[in-house]
């Protein structure tokens, strides 16, 4: 668990992502939920933990960021908790990322950069969790969530604007650098280097199990490995689904509605003419005249355009209005007045002078009501179904907003309540293993983001407008399973651990023998019973990098010095490896230009990321940053459960 947080905060993605992605949105609306924004939108008070230029980062904001990151980690690592987060140094890393993003935003603003209200509006409206049953942004839903989470619209907009400024400053830099060939050559040489060696394998399965474990030994092993038997937090869920099928009977189109829809769109069903037109836009009149002359002389419009360094565009099967919209009214008038195959123009257009050719003329027959009835019925039913779902959604939402319970809301809407056993965030019942139900995924994401005792909520379940009412039932905290329930499993684990330790001791003896000059194949005889296995290793670092699942023995071969030996455990826990590097062979990279080119490309991407980091550091120095070590220590103590407050 501790290594999980370390991998995240020390990875290149973890360092750079703050400068590229809209961090506030990514964290706040993770898994389609907006509850994690609480506290990060400027609505909570508290002492400042840092000041970046004129911007403040409060203890409340950093506290919420830590809570959000632990919650996000638990979606993929159920055992993740705040203690491991703090131990891994992730709180300090979170503050560094917040300072870096804010520094970039303040620097950009100082240079005169701005983020328009319209751009921020677009970011908010594009968040799936804020879209109602119609698939469009729901202002009422947005306002209700703000009220529930004690947020302010102004605070959210401020955070999004800061992140957008940081993104605009850094996004063009990533991957924008060019690496010289001389710089790439040493790295290419590393890729082409060939190594030879051997690997001995000592399998645990071949070793004796030993006597049956005593009760005291079993208890000690269980206590020492509690995390191995820990069940993640589980929650039971009460829910009721609302689907388009449930309102289908009430939305059957009437004959009057079908007739009205036909009359309203009568022009669409009348006989019409469509034309396919190829068009070239030329910047000047003389050039357009010359191109039109070549086409009228027998050249195709496409060939004449290419000869002039231009490209012809084909506008396929358009009526006159559509052609006017895509080209210009003048071009549309001329095209619909000409015969098939005629060349028209040059005609003045908004972008220059148009030369066009009428490629095809299509006569579309009129369609009667009976002919279009199926399409009209489907269209009206779809619209009425969407409206009915939206009406029901609003009715239930108003009831929940007025304090209705889950049972009351379900009864008023005449829905069928359902319930689940205690499930993990992944939808698994550890006491009855099986495949999780994919339909429960959005419901569980919302349930695990809610606090125990929260009011019921509505959750979108699909693009068809369906939704569900959910309420969190019993919350079972994460805890290890009792030894009495898993005695057989613990016994098997203890015996497997005995074998593992025995194999490790044999590997250490083999290593000692090899280090004294004994060949690996002879030293492996100490494994006994023919269980020791030795194989030859050979290849280049490039070969290793191409492997989807790299051979651990080969990877070790490229991490040790010549004539040295190393012991490591097999990744699957099946035994221990003793790896010996016998020889290395250097290859001149000049003999492989493709390798040099690949290294230049990869280094260019990495260097672009380095430039972003350096730019962020420079921006931080420019705007000025002050941090409060006392406030930071106080917050860490509070999060660790040792008291403390931000007042």
């Amino acid at each position: 668990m501790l290594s999980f947080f370390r991998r995240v905060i020390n990875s290149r993605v973890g360092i750079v992502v703050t400068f590229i992605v809209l961090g506030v949105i990514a964290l706040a609306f993770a898994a389609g939920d907006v509850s994690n924004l609480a506290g990060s939108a400027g609505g909570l008070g508290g002492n400042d933990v840092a000041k970046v230029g004129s911007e403040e980062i409060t203890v409340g904001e950093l506290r919420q960021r830590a809570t959000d990151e632990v919650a996000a980690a638990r979606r993929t690592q159920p055992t993740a908790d705040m203690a491991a987060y703090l131990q891994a140094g992730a709180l300090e890393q979170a503050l560094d990322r917040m300072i870096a993003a804010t520094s970039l935003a303040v620097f950009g603003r100082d240079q005169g950069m701005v983020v328009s209200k319209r751009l921020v509006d677009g970011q908010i409206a594009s968040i799936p969790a804020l879209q109602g049953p119609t698939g469009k942004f729901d202002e009422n839903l947005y306002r209700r969530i703000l009220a529930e989470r004690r947020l302010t619209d102004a605070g959210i907009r401020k955070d999004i604007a800061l992140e957008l400024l940081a993104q605009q400053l850094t996004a063009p830099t990533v991957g924008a650098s060019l690496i010289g060939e001389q710089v790439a050559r040493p790295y290419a040489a590393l890729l082409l280097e060939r190594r030879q060696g051997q690997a001995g394998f000592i399998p645990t399965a071949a070793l004796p199990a030993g006597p049956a474990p005593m009760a005291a030994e079993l208890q000690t092993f269980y206590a020492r490995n509690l995390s191995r038997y820990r069940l993640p937090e589980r929650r039971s869920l009460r829910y009721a689904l609302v689907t388009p099928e449930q309102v289908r009977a009430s939305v059957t189109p009437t004959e009057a509605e079908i007739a009205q829809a036909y009359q309203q769109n009568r022009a669409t069903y009348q006989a019409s003419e469509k034309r396919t037109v190829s068009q070239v836009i030329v910047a000047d009149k003389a050039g357009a005249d010359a191109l039109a002359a070549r086409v009228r002389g027998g050249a195709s419009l496409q060939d004449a355009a290419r000869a002039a360094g231009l490209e012809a565009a084909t506008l396929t099967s358009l009526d006159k209005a559509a052609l006017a919209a895509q080209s210009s009214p003048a071009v549309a008038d001329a095209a619909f007045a000409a015969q098939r195959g005629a060349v028209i123009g040059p005609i003045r257009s908004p972008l220059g002078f148009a030369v066009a050719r009428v490629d095809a003329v299509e006569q579309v027959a009129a369609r009667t009501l009976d002919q279009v009835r199926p399409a009209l019925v489907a269209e009206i039913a779809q619209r009425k179904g969407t409206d009915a779902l939206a009406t029901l959604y609003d009715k239930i939402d108003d009831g929940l907003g007025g304090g209705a319970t889950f049972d009351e809301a379900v009864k008023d809407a005449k829905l069928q309540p359902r319930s689940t056993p205690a499930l993990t965030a992944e939808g698994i019942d550890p006491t009855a293993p099986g495949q999780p139900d994919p339909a429960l995924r959005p419901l569980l994401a919302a349930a695990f983001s809610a606090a125990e005792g929260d009011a019921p909520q509505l959750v979108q379940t699909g693009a068809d407008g369906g939704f569900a009412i959910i309420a969190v039932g019993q919350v079972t905290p994460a805890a290890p399973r009792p030894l009495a329930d898993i005695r057989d499993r613990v016994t098997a684990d203890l015996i497997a651990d005995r074998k593992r330790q025995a194999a490790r001791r044999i590997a250490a003896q083999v290593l000692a023998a090899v280090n004294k000059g004994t060949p690996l194949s002879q030293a492996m005889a100490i494994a006994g019973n023919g269980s020791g296995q030795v194989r030859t290793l050979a290849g280049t670092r490039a070969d290793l990098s191409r492997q989807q699942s790299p051979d651990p023995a080969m990877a070790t071969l490229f991490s040790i010095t010549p004539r040295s030996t190393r012991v490591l455990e097999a990744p699957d826990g099946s035994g221990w490896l003793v790896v010996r590097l016998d020889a290395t062979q250097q290859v001149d990279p000049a003999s492989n230009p493709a390798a040099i080119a690949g290294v230049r490309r990869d280094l260019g991407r990495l260097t672009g990321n380095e430039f972003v980091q350096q730019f962020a550091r420079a921006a931080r120095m420019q705007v000025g940053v002050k941090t409060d070590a006392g406030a930071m220590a106080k917050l860490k103590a509070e999060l660790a459960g040792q008291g403390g407050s931000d007042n």
Side-chain angles (χ1 to χ4, degrees):
M1 180 166 56
L2 182 62
S3 62
F4 172 81
F5 283 117
R6 284 178 176 153
R7 285 197 305 273
V8 171
I9 65 177
N10 291 324
S11 68
R12 183 165 299 279
V13 173
I15 295 171
V16 178
V17 73
T18 304
F19 312 135
I20 305 172
V21 182
L22 299 181
V24 171
I25 297 174
L27 288 172
F29 299 98
D33 180 73
V34 298
S35 61
N36 293 335
L37 251 177
S40 68
L44 299 178
N47 299 330
D48 296 341
V49 71
K51 188 169 184 179
V52 183
S54 59
E55 294 289 335
E56 299 172 348
I57 299 176
T58 68
V59 171
E61 291 170 344
L62 182 56
R63 179 195 300 114
Q64 189 61 43
R65 179 61 63 91
T67 303
D68 292 340
E69 292 186 352
V70 172
R74 290 180 62 185
R75 291 188 176 95
T76 55
Q77 186 84 0
T79 58
D81 57 22
M82 185 60 73
Y85 180 84
L86 296 174
Q87 188 179 354
L91 183 65
E92 291 81 1
Q93 293 286 340
L95 178 60
D96 284 344
R97 291 194 297 272
M98 293 173 74
I99 289 174
T102 307
S103 298
L104 285 166
V106 172
F107 176 79
R109 195 167 55 199
D110 290 347
Q111 307 311 308
M113 296 178 63
V114 296
V115 173
S116 68
K117 178 179 180 298
R118 183 176 180 182
L119 182 56
V120 175
D121 287 344
Q123 294 294 331
I124 295 175
S126 65
I127 297 169
L130 298 180
Q131 295 172 3
T134 62
K136 296 181 180 179
F137 174 71
D138 189 327
E139 177 76 17
N140 293 329
L141 175 60
Y142 176 57
R143 296 295 173 184
R144 179 170 66 81
I145 291 173
L146 290 180
E148 288 178 355
R149 305 300 175 182
R150 295 179 297 164
L151 306 176
T152 65
D153 178 64
I156 289 178
R157 289 177 178 278
K158 173 187 172 183
D159 282 347
I160 293 176
L162 288 175
E163 295 288 347
L164 284 169
L165 281 171
Q167 183 194 39
Q168 291 170 3
L169 278 167
T170 59
T173 307
V174 178
S177 58
L178 182 64
I179 300 299
E181 181 175 332
Q182 293 303 316
V183 175
R185 277 176 175 265
Y187 297 97
L190 288 176
L191 284 177
L192 298 174
E193 177 190 6
R194 173 170 290 276
R195 293 194 171 198
Q196 294 179 324
Q198 303 172 76
F201 179 61
I202 303 167
T204 57
L207 299 175
M214 303 294 290
E217 185 183 9
L218 206 62
Q219 181 63 48
T220 300
F221 180 82
Y222 170 76
R224 195 171 60 243
N225 295 277
L226 277 179
S227 60
R228 183 185 299 186
Y229 308 111
R230 184 182 181 89
L231 290 177
E233 179 183 307
R234 287 152 290 150
R235 298 189 173 197
S236 60
L237 183 65
R238 301 183 68 199
Y239 67 99
L241 296 174
V242 180
T243 65
E245 288 74 19
Q246 291 172 258
V247 299
R248 184 170 293 163
S250 64
V251 299
T252 302
T254 65
E255 287 300 321
E257 289 172 332
I258 296 172
Q260 182 183 14
Y262 181 78
Q263 290 297 327
Q264 288 176 344
N265 297 278
R266 192 174 186 84
T268 305
Y269 308 123
Q270 292 178 347
S272 63
E273 182 177 285
K274 294 184 178 181
R275 300 204 168 196
T276 297
V277 177
S278 297
Q279 173 184 270
V280 177
I281 303 296
V282 185
D284 61 284
K285 180 69 164 54
D289 286 335
L291 189 146
R294 285 196 293 273
V295 176
R296 290 189 177 101
S300 72
L301 184 65
Q302 288 75 11
D303 290 343
R306 280 193 289 270
L310 303 171
E311 189 70 33
T314 300
L315 308 176
T316 305
S317 192
L318 301 177
D319 59 25
K320 190 173 182 179
L323 181 58
Q326 293 196 29
S327 181
S328 73
V331 171
D333 289 341
F336 273 81
Q339 299 295 318
R340 181 180 182 278
V343 178
I344 58 175
I347 298 173
R348 184 83 183 189
S349 72
L351 299 178
F353 293 87
V355 177
R357 183 180 186 276
V358 180
D359 295 329
V361 177
E362 177 186 356
Q363 299 296 333
V364 180
R367 288 177 290 170
T368 66
L369 174 59
D370 288 339
Q371 289 175 318
V372 299
R373 178 184 295 274
L376 288 175
V377 168
E379 179 185 342
I380 297 170
Q382 173 70 26
R383 184 181 69 249
K384 292 181 67 176
T386 300
D387 292 343
L389 282 173
T391 299
L392 182 57
Y393 182 98
D394 290 340
K395 178 184 176 182
I396 297 173
D397 191 36
D398 290 342
L400 295 178
T405 65
F406 174 82
D407 291 325
E408 291 169 342
V410 169
K411 182 178 179 181
D412 290 345
K414 297 180 175 57
L415 302 175
Q416 180 64 42
R418 306 180 188 181
S419 61
T420 70
L423 301 175
T424 66
E426 292 75 29
I428 297 172
D429 179 1
T431 62
Q435 292 298 320
D437 183 355
L440 292 177
R441 189 171 298 142
L443 309 187
L444 287 167
F448 273 83
S449 297
E452 189 172 7
D454 275 1
Q457 58 180 301
L458 297 177
V459 179
Q460 296 296 319
T461 57
D464 59 1
F467 61 94
I469 313 173
I470 71 163
V472 178
Q474 182 179 2
V475 177
T476 305
R481 298 182 68 176
L483 175 59
D485 293 348
I486 53 172
R487 183 174 297 275
D488 290 344
R489 176 184 167 188
V490 176
T491 300
D493 288 346
L494 190 154
I495 292 174
D497 188 65
R498 282 179 181 172
K499 292 184 174 184
R500 174 181 172 276
Q501 297 299 333
R504 176 68 181 87
R505 289 191 292 270
I506 294 174
Q509 295 172 11
V510 172
L511 175 64
V514 171
N515 286 339
K516 290 179 181 179
T518 304
L520 179 60
S521 57
Q522 295 180 21
M524 284 294 292
I526 198 172
N529 299 321
S531 61
Q533 306 167 23
V534 179
R535 61 189 173 99
T536 300
L537 303 174
T540 66
R541 203 182 301 266
D543 295 334
L544 184 66
S545 67
R546 285 191 290 268
Q547 295 177 7
Q548 199 166 21
S549 299
D551 179 356
M554 279 293 295
T556 302
L557 198 70
F558 282 92
S559 65
I560 58 180
T561 57
R563 314 301 299 176
S564 64
T565 311
R566 181 175 295 176
V567 170
L568 69 150
E569 187 172 13
D572 59 0
S574 60
W576 290 83
L577 292 162
V578 183
V579 181
R580 173 75 173 177
L581 173 59
D582 294 325
T584 62
Q585 179 184 356
Q586 303 299 322
V587 176
D588 185 357
S591 63
N592 195 326
I596 297 176
V599 169
R600 292 181 66 185
R601 184 170 56 252
D602 293 341
L603 286 179
R605 285 194 292 266
L606 295 176
T607 305
N609 292 335
E610 296 289 347
F611 285 167
V612 169
Q613 295 177 54
Q614 294 296 335
F615 181 45
R617 293 191 187 99
R620 176 172 176 160
M621 294 177 63
Q622 177 70 24
V623 302
V625 174
K626 295 180 181 179
T627 58
D628 187 335
M632 186 69 169
K634 200 173 183 181
L635 176 60
K636 288 188 70 173
E638 175 192 338
L639 293 175
Q642 300 171 4
S645 169
D646 65 341
N647 297 326

